[in-house]
């Protein structure tokens, strides 16, 4: 784990995050999207962006190969966070704020 400071403000997309377990069945949306390395998935509980490598290649219904939480954080330039997991493959880091909130932030906004 390391500490980082945000170099710009980040507003998470609207929507309700989903928590997927290994082996969950999901419906995969279009691969034509603005997030390289991610797939848009739909579940009975909601929808969100999931790294492609976390899904089997079956379409339109895939199975999750790993657990994944789509929660993203709202954060302001200058905020300090603790980086818990760094995922350079998709350019995201799972971070914790000083008040205990956790979620993904883009790596390129962390010093």
């Amino acid at each position: 784990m390391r500490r980082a400071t945000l170099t710009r403000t980040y507003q998470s997309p609207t929507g309700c995050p989903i928590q997927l377990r290994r082996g969950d069945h999901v419906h995969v949306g279009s691969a034509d999207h603005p997030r390289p390395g991610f797939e848009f998935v739909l579940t009975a509980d909601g929808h969100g962006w999931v790294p492609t490598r976390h899904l089997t290649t079956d379409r339109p219904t895939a199975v999750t190969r790993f657990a994944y939480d789509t929660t993203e954080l709202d954060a302001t330039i200058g905020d300090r966070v603790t980086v818990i997991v760094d995922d350079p493959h998709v350019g995201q880091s799972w971070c914790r704020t000083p008040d205990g909130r956790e979620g993904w932030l883009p790596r390129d906004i962390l010093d």
Side-chain angles (χ1 to χ4, degrees), residues 56-105:
T56 61
T57 57
D58 308 324
R59 299 292 186 269
T61 301
V63 177
T64 55
R65 297 172 58 209
F66 308 98
Y68 191 76
D69 184 332
T70 66
T71 301
E72 295 185 48
L73 289 175
D74 290 333
T76 304
I77 189 170
D79 284 356
R80 299 274 299 161
V81 296
T82 300
V83 176
I84 298 169
V85 174
D86 189 42
D87 190 346
H89 297 291
V90 293
Q92 300 275 320
S93 295
W94 184 264
C95 299
R96 180 182 303 129
T97 63
D99 65 2
R101 294 178 299 120
E102 291 188 9
W104 295 104
L105 286 170

Side-chain angles (χ1 to χ4, degrees), residues 6-78:
L6 272 73
T7 59
R8 50 179 218 263
T9 296
Y10 182 75
Q11 179 75 35
S12 63
T14 58
C16 184
I18 54 174
Q19 290 76 39
L20 300 170
R21 294 176 308 276
R22 183 174 182 250
D24 283 351
H25 292 261
V26 298
H27 179 78
V28 180
S30 170
D32 182 26
H33 54 73
R35 289 188 169 202
F38 283 85
E39 300 281 345
F40 188 75
V41 302
L42 303 166
T43 71
D45 297 324
H47 53 80
W49 295 98
V50 176
T52 301
R53 72 179 189 281
H54 286 239
L55 304 169
T56 61
T57 57
D58 308 324
R59 299 292 186 269
T61 301
V63 177
T64 55
R65 297 172 58 209
F66 308 98
Y68 191 76
D69 184 332
T70 66
T71 301
E72 295 185 48
L73 289 175
D74 290 333
T76 304
I77 189 170

